[in-house]
Structure formats: structure tokens, C-alpha cells
Amino acid sequence: MKNDLISRRQLLKRAGALGMLAVLERLAPAYAWARPTEAAQTPQLNGKVIDLTIAETPFRIGDRTGTAHTINGTVPGPLIRLREGDEVTLRVTNRLKEIASIHWHGILLPPEMDGVPGVSFGGIKPRTTFTYRFPLKQSGTYWYHSHSGFQEQLGVYGPMIIDPIESDPVRYDREYVVILSDWTFEEPMKMMGKLKKQAGYFNFQRRTMREFLSDAKKNGWRATFDDYRMWARMRMDPTDFADITGHAYTYLMNGLSDNANWTALFRPGERVRLRFINAAAMSIFDVRIPGLKMTVVQADGQNVQPVEVDEFRIAVAETYDVIVEPEEDRAYTIFAESIDRSGYTRGTLAPRPGMNAEVPPPRPRPLRTMEDMGMSMEGMDHGNMEMPDKEPSGGMKDMEHMQHGAKDEAMPETQHDYEMEEMPKEHGEHKMEDTKAMLGMRSEIPGSAPVKHGPDTHGPGNQMVPDFTRSRLGEPGAGLGNDGRRVLVYTDLKSLHPYPDRRQPEREIEIHITGHMERFIWSFDGKKYSEAREPIHFKYGERLRWTFVNDTMMEHPLHLHGMFMELENGAGDYLPRKHTVNVKPAERVSVAITADAPGPWAFHCHLLFHMEAGMFRVVEVSGKGAEAPS
Ligand SMILES: [Cu+2]
């Protein structure tokens, strides 16, 4: 293993011998390169003891060079391949000038091994080595990354596969890891500063006068004018899909840009397993392989009942394993487009190296809708929701009462001192049952019927409160699903085996995802982490339902450390287990949790800049609830 470390001196020596560019080409890890021979596909680190070193290393994309923070000299870091049931020792040495860390994303382990500075350990000081040691209680596709500052954005992430003890229920002839990420030559701290000054700084896809004219032609002057004025009044932008866009980012596949064309080889007729990991700091991707169906077999490391799709959206920190069966002797493009359509990365599946397939043309960028603001109540009695014009206008009257944030700045902050435990009652005027009865709807997905937002507006740090929130688990997401492609939705996910803890949730808590997009403040329940240091308390052993309510107009991939979340997506006994749940705008999502991991755990939005801006909490599992089944 030691041989895999590239010290700076070695690097320079080799640079002298080979020329710097040749060396820099090789900074992508070995598994990122297609193997011309069939034998060695994915060089990897394995065994009982693994050594990793975090250091600064030159990094090149095209003709631009910068400095990455690397693990063992590469971006992404090495593939760590382990076996369920083993105990592993991972020695991480920090050669940076600042505190570093590695968090093992999605892995169930003791809290002091989780690697979040300030929550479960002190971080790895410069020039020291921290030894992680834990038993592997699970199998599947996972990853690891720094949990310190912006190191993840700078390159500190890598894949981790844990092979099952028992035979793998997924049959495949060969496999590849496909890590998607976003690289920038800008300094992340400076980018944060720009976002704070002007939230739309990196959005170069705003609507233009030309678009106004064409919209007016299509929808009429009045409707178009109302629509544009509404967005302006709310100080929001319907093109707001990614805080940082392809303007600043180069999107990478296994550390390579689309030009470098990472290639995976196959023989026609083989079953190829692709393990997709979204290790980006800020970018949600839509993934497809034109000409091939993909069968999703695993989500967030957990086996799921196979579901065949043309495309899937992968939020930051999620993983999806798919099986493809290319029959023809031709190349296929693995295409990963950013959610806002400002860029893409791609690789190639091919029978021989050096082949290419057509790269799809960009699709039009999507726009936020009334639904994303919790305004469209499909199937609801519209009553007080006057909609004088046809789409896309909602009429100004409705918009003005949407403008809570602006109004609330002048108002004192009210009733924010509720206890978590009391939230379901205190927080919303739910009347969920009433609403259901009224609509004659029945569903086992919590929030299937729209739930009215409570009186709490979450204070001045919050820009908007949707009137209603509801489950959107069956929707593919903005910009998807309108072109005949079968897109994976969360309601497709059914775990391969029934979930083990059969108890009904004995307690329900609710947390609101809040923020002020214009000021780039991100928070939970209106409070940044710096303003809410007291942990959220889970009773050890209890079964609880946690409901995430997204009061913002952006997607937020929420990640809980230490425990899986069972997504309450209507799958009956087969609720899928996830470590990261992407919550859509104005959505209400419930997860069931068995609080079987004592200790302090991080809970946060996995968009790095949102987490850094305050969308972070500590969950403390302690005390004694009911006995958890083993
Ligand atoms: Cu977020």
C-alpha cells in the first residue's frame, strides 16, 4: 500500500524524467483509466490496514493547472475495497497546513470513528496520523470524503466498496466505479464570499428580454408581465437551480473532464455493473446512457428490487448501482448533465479503447414553478387561490401573501422556542386527517395530501414560507419526465428485503429546511448551526418518524450520519434505506429511523456551501427509549 503514496519529491523527480504534463495526466487514479487488458480493471486498496495521505498536489484539466487536495496523490482518492464482517484499520496522515478529516459516508460505525471535527473527534492536525478502526457491518457502494472546510471541493473524496459476506444478489460480469464531481480553479472561500454578496453570482442563465418577448408571444403579454413581475417582487429567480454552475465548474467523471473521455470496456452481451457516486460539492446530476436501459439494483449501498429506467437524478452524496447490458459492438456515452443544464460530463462504454459515441445536445434549462413554492394545489379546493390568468402566472394577489420573508423582516420573531418533541402539534395547523377526509384520499405516504404551513415563518433568515407542502416522491424532479424517458423516482425504490424494525414510530418530529436565497443564508427551522448548538435528541432505541419540510425553492440532499433512514415512500414492508434523501422544493418527506446508534451524529444538507452557511445540526442519540430489536 505504501508504494501507492506519491510523495512530492517522487512526483518532482518523475516530473523531471517524464515532463510535467505527462505526470499530471496520471493524477487521475488508476481506476479512472480504461484497462486495455481484461485482467486488471480497478486497482484498489484492500486488506486489514490501509494508509491514506491527504496532501496538496498539482492538478490539471485540459490546459489549466491548479492545486488539488488529494488522497494518496489523486482526485478522486483510491478505491478502497473491503469485505463485510472484517475489521478495518485506516491510517490517515494529514500533510496539509490545516486540520483535515475523513468521514466514511453511509458507513455504520462508532461515533468517534465517524470523522466529523467538532462533533465526534477533534480532526486530524497537520503532520499527524489518525487511526480509524471499525468493524464492517454492511456491504455495498459507499464513499469517503473530508468533513473539514472546503477540502471536499478541493478533491478530498474517493470511493469505497464493501463486498457482501454472502453471495451478491446482483449478477454481473464486470463492474466500474463512476464518480461524478465538480472541480473549480477558484478558491471555494472566495466563491462563498461572492454568493454572500450576490446569490445569483454564478447563474448566467437568467431570463432575458428576448425570452420575455418569446414568452409574451406564447402566453400573452399580461400573463408574461405578471409572471416576470411576480418573480422580481419576490426577489427570487425561476432559473435558480444551482448556486454554482457550469460557469465556474468543470464536471468530472472519475476525475476526468468530458474531453478526457473516461472509458469503460465491455464485451457485447455482458452484464456491466456501474456504481455511480455523486461526490460533487454542489452539483446534482441527471444520468443516462443513450441507447441503453439501466436497471437500478442498489441505492445508497442498499440493494433494491430491480427497476429499469432510462435516466436517474443523483443528488449530491447519493449512490446508485445500475446494470447495463450492451449488446452491440459499439460505443455508448455515459452522460451526466447538471440539473440546471449549465454543463455536463461524460464517459464512454465501449468494446475497445479510443471509441466515442454521440454526446447528446443540451436540453433547455428548466424553470421553477408555482408548485415549487407550494402554491399549486392540484386536486385541492382552490378557494382563496385566485388564478386570474392561465399558466404561468399566478396573479399578483397570491404572490403578495407569498412574500412572507420580506414582510417578516419588520416583524418580531415569534414562537420559535418550541421543543422538538412538540413540533408536530405546535408547528403546523396540519389537520392532515381532515384534509384527507375532505379529499377522500388515502395513502400510506405521509404528506400525500397537502399540509398547510403553520404560523411560524422562521424569522428574518427565512425568505419564503410555502402555503402548502406535500410529498413529491413520485415526481422525477424539475426538468425531467416530459420527454418520454422513464426517470427513476423515489417511489420506485423498494428494498430487496423487508425492513427489520416492525414497530410503529412512537414519536414524530418535524424539521423545516429554511433559507434566504438572496442573502445565501441556509438553516434549519430558521436557525443557522451557529445559532442552534443544542442537539436534536433521539432516545436510544426508539423508533421515530422524522419529517423534512422544505420551505425553500431549491433541492436539498439531507444526510444523517450513524443511522439509515427508511424512506416512507409507500413501499409497505420494503421501505428503502437511505443515507441521503433529496428533498424537492415545497416538499414534505418522512423517514422512519431506529435510533440504535448512541452518540453525537452530524445531520446536514450535503450541498457543501449550504452546510457551511449553516444548514447543519447535531443529532444526539442517548438515554433509553424502548428496546430496539437486534
Ligand atoms: Cu441545502
Side-chain angles (χ1 to χ4, degrees):
M1 236 82 42
K2 274 256 155 74
N3 306 338
D4 286 355
L5 298 177
I6 301 175
S7 74
R8 181 149 250 178
R9 196 193 302 154
Q10 282 172 310
L11 184 82
L12 292 175
K13 216 190 276 173
R14 285 192 220 166
L18 299 170
M20 201 60 182
L21 289 189
V23 170
L24 291 174
E25 287 281 8
R26 278 150 214 244
L27 272 180
Y31 64 80
W33 296 93
R35 305 285 98 197
T37 57
E38 302 253 321
Q41 284 175 13
T42 42
Q44 60 209 19
L45 299 184
N46 45 28
K48 301 256 184 224
V49 180
I50 285 171
D51 287 300
L52 301 174
T53 299
I54 304 172
E56 287 190 18
T57 309
F59 187 67
R60 186 173 79 98
I61 291 167
D63 52 6
R64 294 189 72 185
T65 53
T67 302
H69 288 188
T70 57
I71 304 166
N72 292 6
T74 61
V75 176
L79 166 59
I80 298 176
R81 187 148 201 154
L82 304 167
R83 198 173 168 76
E84 183 184 4
D86 284 354
E87 176 156 303
V88 66
T89 299
L90 298 133
R91 296 189 295 222
V92 181
T93 300
N94 177 14
R95 290 209 189 127
L96 301 176
K97 293 180 202 79
E98 61 192 37
I99 286 187
S101 58
I102 295 287
H103 159 63
W104 316 97
H105 184 105
I107 306 293
L108 307 172
L109 38 59
E112 62 276 14
M113 295 293 134
D114 193 46
V116 183
V119 174
S120 52
F121 85 136
I124 310 169
K125 292 194 187 69
R127 296 180 307 282
T128 66
T129 300
F130 184 85
T131 302
Y132 294 86
R133 191 174 292 125
F134 49 89
L136 297 162
K137 302 198 275 188
Q138 64 203 105
S139 63
T141 301
Y142 299 94
W143 63 296
Y144 59 96
H145 61 83
S146 169
H147 229 290
S148 302
F150 289 102
Q151 287 165 13
E152 188 191 315
Q153 173 76 86
L154 293 163
V156 185
Y157 51 83
M160 185 168 197
I161 297 174
I162 306 171
D163 289 309
I165 294 184
E166 290 174 17
S167 68
D168 199 318
V170 182
R171 207 167 42 75
Y172 55 94
D173 300 304
R174 67 170 81 207
E175 62 177 310
Y176 295 96
V177 167
V178 186
I179 288 208
L180 306 172
S181 61
D182 45 26
W183 170 262
T184 174
F185 288 98
E186 283 193 57
E187 226 182 284
M189 268 305 239
K190 284 191 185 146
M191 296 171 96
M192 187 70 146
K194 286 174 178 173
L195 286 167
K196 281 272 176 204
K197 275 195 212 91
Q198 190 192 337
Y201 186 91
F202 296 100
N203 184 0
F204 283 73
Q205 301 194 105
R206 290 166 174 239
R207 298 197 287 191
T208 58
M209 183 52 86
R210 180 191 293 253
E211 197 170 350
F212 178 84
L213 294 174
S214 97
D215 284 353
K217 214 168 178 184
K218 216 167 37 202
N219 305 320
W221 285 100
R222 166 84 202 282
T224 304
F225 185 71
D226 279 354
D227 180 56
Y228 277 61
R229 194 169 59 149
M230 171 205 57
W231 287 102
R233 279 224 187 170
M234 292 191 306
R235 290 189 275 142
M236 290 186 184
D237 190 319
T239 66
D240 203 352
F241 278 83
D243 298 309
I244 305 176
T245 65
H247 177 74
Y249 278 148
T250 305
Y251 301 112
L252 305 179
M253 188 174 288
N254 287 332
L256 300 175
S257 68
D258 67 299
N259 282 328
N261 192 20
W262 173 76
T263 300
L265 298 182
F266 70 91
R267 271 190 295 209
E270 280 182 326
R271 284 169 65 86
V272 182
R273 179 177 193 161
L274 301 174
R275 299 173 183 265
F276 285 94
I277 299 167
N278 187 347
M282 287 297 284
S283 308
I284 299 173
F285 293 102
D286 293 327
V287 177
R288 61 197 151 112
I289 307 175
L292 288 181
K293 294 275 183 197
M294 301 182 283
T295 303
V296 178
V297 293
Q298 199 179 87
D300 288 8
Q302 302 294 295
N303 292 321
V304 295
Q305 298 176 27
V307 46
E308 193 181 81
V309 298
D310 297 308
E311 181 163 20
F312 62 89
R313 172 161 289 178
I314 184 166
V316 170
E318 288 186 306
T319 75
Y320 285 105
D321 285 26
V322 308
I323 298 286
V324 292
E325 297 177 80
E327 299 281 348
E328 295 170 55
D329 185 57
R330 56 161 275 207
Y332 299 87
T333 294
I334 304 171
F335 192 61
E337 203 175 15
S338 74
I339 180 176
D340 67 327
R341 310 291 177 241
S342 66
Y344 66 86
T345 187
R346 60 107 190 205
T348 299
L349 260 177
R352 289 172 297 285
M355 292 176 77
N356 264 303
E358 196 197 339
V359 176
R363 291 181 284 190
R365 59 115 166 80
L367 287 176
R368 298 295 188 194
T369 64
M370 296 294 115
E371 280 194 321
D372 298 325
M373 297 189 301
M375 296 220 35
S376 173
M377 297 309 112
E378 231 173 312
M380 284 275 295
D381 170 19
H382 280 248
N384 56 352
M385 306 262 304
E386 294 163 36
M387 293 281 186
D389 293 308
K390 283 184 222 101
E391 297 273 303
S393 171
M396 287 310 297
K397 237 183 242 161
D398 299 316
M399 295 316 124
E400 314 235 315
H401 82 259
M402 282 296 297
Q403 253 191 298
H404 295 288
K407 272 191 280 174
D408 293 333
E409 285 182 26
M411 282 164 60
E413 194 178 341
T414 48
Q415 13 156 295
H416 213 82
D417 301 323
Y418 47 73
E419 290 289 305
M420 290 296 296
E421 279 80 2
E422 291 164 16
M423 274 173 59
K425 270 173 262 126
E426 290 279 296
H427 196 87
E429 302 164 345
H430 287 188
K431 298 190 188 122
M432 196 196 293
E433 296 311 316
D434 297 1
T435 319
K436 262 191 211 164
M438 185 180 83
L439 297 171
M441 286 170 68
R442 281 190 151 268
S443 171
E444 47 186 325
I445 303 179
S448 287
V451 176
K452 193 171 185 340
H453 198 286
D456 189 346
T457 57
H458 311 294
N462 191 44
Q463 191 172 16
M464 169 189 130
V465 172
D467 289 344
F468 291 87
T469 55
R470 62 180 175 83
S471 167
R472 305 182 74 178
L473 293 170
E475 299 175 27
L480 292 181
N482 303 318
D483 54 9
R485 290 189 183 90
R486 171 76 167 84
V487 183
L488 183 77
V489 291
Y490 270 177
T491 44
D492 287 332
L493 297 176
K494 296 182 179 71
S495 85
L496 200 56
H497 302 293
Y499 64 87
D501 189 347
R502 311 309 297 177
R503 295 172 299 167
Q504 282 297 309
E506 63 200 64
R507 195 163 70 96
E508 301 189 12
I509 59 176
E510 188 172 300
I511 193 165
H512 284 235
I513 303 166
T514 49
H516 201 295
M517 294 195 278
E518 195 70 14
R519 290 153 61 189
F520 209 74
I521 295 172
W522 298 101
S523 56
F524 289 117
D525 290 333
K527 285 183 177 154
K528 294 186 282 186
Y529 181 47
S530 55
E531 301 161 342
R533 287 304 181 123
E534 68 288 355
I536 294 166
H537 190 235
F538 289 1
K539 280 175 252 165
Y540 175 60
E542 78 173 332
R543 177 82 170 163
L544 86 163
R545 169 176 293 146
W546 202 1
T547 298
F548 310 134
V549 182
N550 190 349
D551 288 349
T552 81
M553 250 180 46
M554 298 196 96
E555 289 78 10
H556 300 276
L558 300 187
H559 173 48
L560 174 65
H561 294 216
M563 291 151 277
F564 271 114
M565 302 179 278
E566 280 149 19
L567 185 65
E568 295 198 280
N569 66 346
D573 289 347
Y574 297 87
L575 300 183
R577 300 211 288 182
K578 298 204 90 243
H579 51 54
T580 307
V581 174
N582 191 31
V583 187
K584 297 183 184 79
E587 189 179 27
R588 163 177 286 269
V589 175
S590 293
V591 298
I593 294 170
T594 297
D596 56 2
W601 301 104
F603 169 73
H604 59 94
C605 176
H606 220 288
L607 298 177
L608 184 61
F609 288 73
H610 289 191
M611 179 175 79
E612 286 295 314
M615 210 177 255
F616 186 100
R617 283 291 189 283
V618 172
V619 165
E620 175 82 40
V621 180
S622 63
K624 192 87 180 93
E627 200 62 51
S630 53

